[in-house]
C-alpha cells in the first residue's frame, strides 16, 4: 500500500512537472507530493535561486544549500541523517547539526536535484523524531530529484525562449515605428 502511494506521488509529480508554468510552481508541487507520499510535513526544495519550504525554516534550507555549494561534487549523493544528534562530527554535513536542532529536525533525507548530470538544486525531507529511511523512500526521493531536474531545465529553456521572443517582438515594434 505504501509503495502504491509512493508510485502515485511520482506519477503526480511527473504530471505536475509537465503542466507547471514556472519553476516556483513546479518546486512547490513536487515538494508537496513528496511530503504526502512519505506522510511527512517538513521539507524544502531549491533549484537555482528558487526555494520552497513546508514546515521547515528557510534558514535551515539556506544552510543546506550553502553546504552543498561549498562541498560541490561531494554532495552528489543522497544523505540520510537518521538522527542529527549522532552524525559523525567529521562528516561534511555535520555543521548542519545545530541548525537542524534549532529547526526542530532530528532526521532528514537529502537528495540532489540533477539535470544532465550536474547538480542544480536539492530536496530535503525532514522529521521531528529520529527515524530510519527505507531504500524505497530514498529511491523515490532520488527519482523526484532527477525528474525535477529535467523539468526545471525544460522550464528554463522555455523561459529563455519566451524572453527572446519578447525581445524580438519589441525590436520589430521599434523598427516598425522608425519607418
Amino acid at each position: 500500500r505504501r509503495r502504491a502511494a509512493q508510485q502515485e506521488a511520482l506519477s503526480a509529480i511527473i504530471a505536475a512537472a509537465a503542466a507547471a508554468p514556472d519553476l516556483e510552481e513546479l518546486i512547490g508541487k513536487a515538494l508537496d507530493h513528496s511530503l504526502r507520499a512519505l506522510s511527512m510535513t517538513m521539507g524544502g526544495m531549491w533549484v537555482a535561486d528558487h526555494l520552497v519550504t513546508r514546515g521547515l525554516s528557510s534558514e535551515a534550507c539556506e544552510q543546506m544549500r550553502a553546504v552543498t555549494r561549498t562541498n560541490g561534487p561531494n554532495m552528489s549523493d543522497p544523505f540520510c541523517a537518521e538522527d542529527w544528534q549522532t552524525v559523525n562530527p567529521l562528516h561534511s554535513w555535520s555543521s548542519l547539526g545545530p541548525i537542524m536542532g534549532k529547526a526542530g529536525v532530528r532526521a532528514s533525507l537529502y537528495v540532489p536535484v540533477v539535470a544532465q548530470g550536474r547538480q542544480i538544486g536539492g530536496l530535503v525531507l525532514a522529521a521531528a523524531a529520529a527515524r530510519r529511511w527505507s531504500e524505497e523512500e530514498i529511491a523515490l526521493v532520488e527519482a523526484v530529484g532527477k525528474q525535477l531536474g529535467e523539468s526545471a531545465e525544460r522550464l528554463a529553456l522555455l523561459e529563455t525562449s519566451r524572453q527572446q521572443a519578447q525581445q524580438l517582438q519589441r525590436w520589430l515594434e521599434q523598427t516598425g515605428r522608425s519607418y
Side-chain angles (χ1 to χ4, degrees), residues 71-140:
N71 293 315
N74 298 330
M75 300 295 143
S76 61
D77 293 323
F79 175 70
C80 303
E82 294 179 354
D83 187 346
W84 275 101
Q85 294 177 0
T86 62
V87 171
N88 182 335
L90 300 177
H91 194 281
S92 56
W93 286 93
S94 65
S95 63
L96 290 173
I99 293 153
M100 290 299 177
K102 182 179 173 186
V105 173
R106 281 286 300 272
S108 65
L109 167 60
Y110 161 84
V111 298
V113 173
V114 178
Q116 298 177 3
R118 63 182 174 78
Q119 184 174 344
I120 63 168
L123 165 60
V124 63
L125 302 180
R131 65 165 300 203
R132 286 195 164 284
W133 300 95
S134 73
E135 288 182 27
E136 286 179 346
E137 290 171 326
I138 296 167
L140 171 69

Side-chain angles (χ1 to χ4, degrees), residues 31 35 42-46 51-54 56 61 122-125:
L31 179 58
L35 289 168
M42 289 194 292
M45 188 178 294
W46 60 91
L51 170 67
V52 175
T53 63
R54 303 285 190 259
L56 185 62
C61 284
L123 165 60
V124 63
L125 302 180

